[in-house]
């Protein structure tokens, strides 16, 4: 039996508007069940405060990136994203995270997986969760990652070096249901997948304005129940199967822009309302705005030229470039998706996981010895 590590090498990093623990795959157990159990104890789950671990008591601060050397010569690193639940003992690999993605290139350089160039470095990344590809480009003067700069993103104080992320065209259909509009649980929706399964819904159709704070929306029990009904019905229609125990699809509520952007959003991920918006969630919204016949028609205000769209969210905005074309069969397809994010190294060292719990009494003999211990 392999002894569990008493400490694990870890780099804690803010990526975009999320924060997560970054690991080399070789520093974690190979068995997924053992790995997930270890990560729960590292992050401090299950506990609403995650008081005994690295987690920050919210899904956007309870994330893990696992990075490894790929077997594909056209890719520099593999990136597996794991969402660690806060108050339940769950670890999910059913989605990507475009925010933590911003830190993958710098992490790969920090760990020596990719040699930095003098000036700027581009890292080709395979997102293992969905097999999609992205290239991250960031400054590396003198062959070292420079996290300082003047790029500013909403939801993050101060400025940092820009990380330009360009996503390769995915293989999944942009419209998983094959239609631009569905009626699910009595509500018109548009189901899109531009790197993240997302359901777009007009806020007005849910009897809200779409300008409420995340806390106000979370406190609206009737709204949350209705959104969950939509999510559960949308899952099978989007080819995701039973989604009761998963974190996808996400749901973005749309309202007219309030600050000269293209649209205002409130995004459920899926049961908490995001204080901003995820990168891939924004990619889905941006693509959905450009699809003829989507629920965004009459809500969004699209620019007269160019692919760049400003997606408004509770703490500001996210600028994203999204081009949508038409495939040979006449269905909408993603042409290009690119975004500027930032990342910052917070600490690099070792983390000490909470010890594993001893076997429950039912699994012990009356003398306290394990049931399978040899007879005297």
């Amino acid at each position: 039996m392999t002894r569990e590590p008493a400490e694990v090498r870890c780099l804690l990093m803010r990526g975009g508007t999320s924060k997560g623990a970054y690991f080399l795959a070789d520093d974690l157990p190979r068995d997924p069940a053992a790995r997930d159990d270890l990560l729960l104890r590292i992050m401090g789950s299950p506990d609403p405060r995650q008081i005994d671990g690295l987690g920050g008591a919210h899904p956007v601060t309870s994330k893990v990136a696992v990075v490894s050397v790929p077997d594909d010569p056209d890719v520099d690193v593999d990136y597996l994203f794991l969402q660690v639940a806060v108050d339940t003992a769950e670890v999910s690999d059913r989605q990507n995270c475009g925010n933590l993605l911003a830190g993958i290139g710098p992490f790969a350089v920090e760990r020596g997986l990719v040699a930095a160039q003098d000036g700027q470095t581009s890292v080709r990344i395979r997102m293992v969760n969905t097999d999609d590809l992205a290239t991250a480009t960031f400054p590396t003067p003198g062959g070292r990652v420079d996290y300082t700069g003047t790029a500013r993103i909403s939801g993050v104080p101060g400025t940092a070096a820009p990380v330009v992320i360009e996503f390769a065209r995915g293989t999944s259909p942009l419209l998983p249901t094959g239609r631009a509009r569905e009626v699910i649980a009595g509500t018109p929706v548009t189901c899109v997948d531009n790197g993240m399964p997302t359901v777009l819904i007009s806020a007005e159709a849910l009897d809200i304005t779409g300008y409420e704070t995340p806390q106000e929306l979370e406190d609206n029990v009737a709204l949350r129940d209705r959104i969950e009904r939509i999510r559960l019905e949308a899952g099978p229609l989007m080819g995701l199967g039973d989604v009761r125990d998963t974190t996808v699809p996400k749901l973005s509520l749309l309202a007219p822009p309030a600050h000269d952007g293209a649209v205002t959003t409130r995004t459920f991920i899926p049961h908490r309302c995001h204080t901003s918006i995820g990168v891939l969630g924004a990619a889905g919204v941006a693509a959905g705005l450009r699809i003829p016949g989507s629920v965004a028609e009459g809500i969004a205000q699209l620019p007269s030229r160019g692919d760049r769209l400003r997606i408004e969210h509770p703490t500001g905005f996210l600028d994203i470039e999204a081009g949508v074309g038409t495939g040979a069969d006449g269905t909408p397809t993603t042409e290009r998706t690119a975004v500027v994010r930032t990342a910052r190294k917070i600490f690099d060292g070792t983390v000490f996981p909470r010890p594993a719990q001893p076997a429950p009494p039912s699994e012990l003999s009356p003398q306290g010895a394990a049931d399978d211990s040899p007879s005297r």
Side-chain angles (χ1 to χ4, degrees):
M1 179 181 295
T2 302
R3 182 180 296 274
E4 179 181 287
E7 58 187 69
V8 184
R9 193 180 186 194
C10 172
L11 192 153
L12 188 69
M13 185 179 292
R14 175 189 60 76
T17 54
S18 294
K19 183 169 62 178
Y22 289 66
F23 299 92
L24 289 176
D26 288 345
D27 290 334
L28 296 173
R30 292 186 179 276
D31 175 64
R35 176 201 66 201
D36 292 352
D37 177 71
L38 177 63
L39 292 175
L40 285 166
R41 290 183 281 115
I42 286 174
M43 300 305 287
S45 299
D47 172 36
R49 297 180 300 161
Q50 291 183 315
I51 196 66
D52 206 25
L54 293 180
H58 193 280
V60 300
T61 56
S62 186
K63 298 184 174 187
V64 167
V66 182
V67 181
S68 58
V69 176
D71 54 12
D72 183 347
D74 294 326
V75 178
D76 295 314
V77 294
D78 279 350
Y79 155 48
L80 172 68
F81 170 69
L82 297 172
Q83 178 69 62
V84 180
V86 173
D87 53 2
T88 58
E90 299 175 65
V91 179
S92 173
D93 64 356
R94 292 286 300 273
Q95 66 177 82
N96 280 326
C97 177
N99 275 304
L100 286 201
L101 176 63
I104 296 299
F107 177 80
V109 171
E110 296 273 5
R111 287 292 186 264
L113 301 184
V114 175
Q117 305 299 308
D118 183 9
Q120 67 177 21
T121 299
S122 294
V123 177
R124 300 166 300 175
I125 303 163
R126 176 169 58 190
M127 295 175 280
V128 175
N129 305 71
T130 58
D131 209 34
D132 290 325
L133 303 175
T135 299
T137 303
F138 48 95
T140 52
R144 296 175 62 88
V145 179
D146 184 0
Y147 295 96
T148 63
T150 60
R152 186 185 300 273
I153 62 175
S154 296
V156 176
T159 62
V163 180
V164 180
I165 303 173
E166 181 142 6
F167 298 91
R169 185 184 302 180
T171 57
S172 300
L174 181 58
L175 293 174
T177 69
R179 291 176 292 274
R181 188 180 292 237
E182 304 282 348
V183 176
I184 299 178
T187 307
V189 306
T190 295
C191 301
V192 298
D193 187 349
N194 191 18
M196 175 74 72
T198 305
V199 180
L200 308 183
I201 313 170
S202 165
E204 185 178 28
L206 297 172
D207 301 318
I208 60 173
T209 67
Y211 307 112
E212 294 84 354
T213 67
Q215 190 61 57
E216 288 172 335
L217 294 175
E218 289 184 9
D219 290 342
N220 188 334
V221 176
L223 172 69
R224 290 177 58 185
D225 288 346
R226 184 174 177 184
I227 286 175
E228 182 65 359
R229 288 197 302 273
I230 293 171
R231 191 180 79 88
L232 294 180
E233 289 190 29
L237 292 176
M238 299 177 73
L240 302 172
D242 186 346
V243 297
R244 282 176 294 182
D245 298 324
T246 73
T247 58
V248 289
K250 312 300 187 188
L251 303 101
S252 279
L253 317 186
L254 309 181
H259 303 289
D260 299 321
V263 72
T264 293
T265 61
R266 297 292 186 266
T267 302
F268 281 81
I269 56 174
H271 305 124
R272 300 288 300 273
C273 186
H274 207 309
T275 54
S276 55
I277 190 171
V279 170
L280 294 173
V285 170
L289 300 189
R290 295 191 179 281
I291 296 174
S294 80
V295 296
E297 285 192 342
I299 298 175
Q301 296 181 13
L302 302 182
S304 58
R305 63 180 63 182
D307 290 338
R308 179 166 297 182
L309 296 173
R310 175 159 289 184
I311 308 300
E312 299 178 4
H313 56 69
T315 51
F317 61 86
L318 185 152
D319 286 335
I320 189 164
E321 295 185 5
V324 172
T326 303
D329 58 356
T331 60
T333 60
T334 303
E335 296 295 331
R336 179 176 183 269
T337 304
V339 66
V340 175
R341 304 307 277 160
T342 66
R344 190 178 78 81
K345 179 171 63 172
I346 298 173
F347 81 68
D348 189 358
T350 56
V351 60
F352 297 84
R354 183 180 67 233
Q357 295 297 311
S362 61
E363 296 181 11
L364 302 177
S365 69
Q367 292 77 27
D371 290 340
D372 60 353
S373 59
S375 302
R376 293 181 182 270

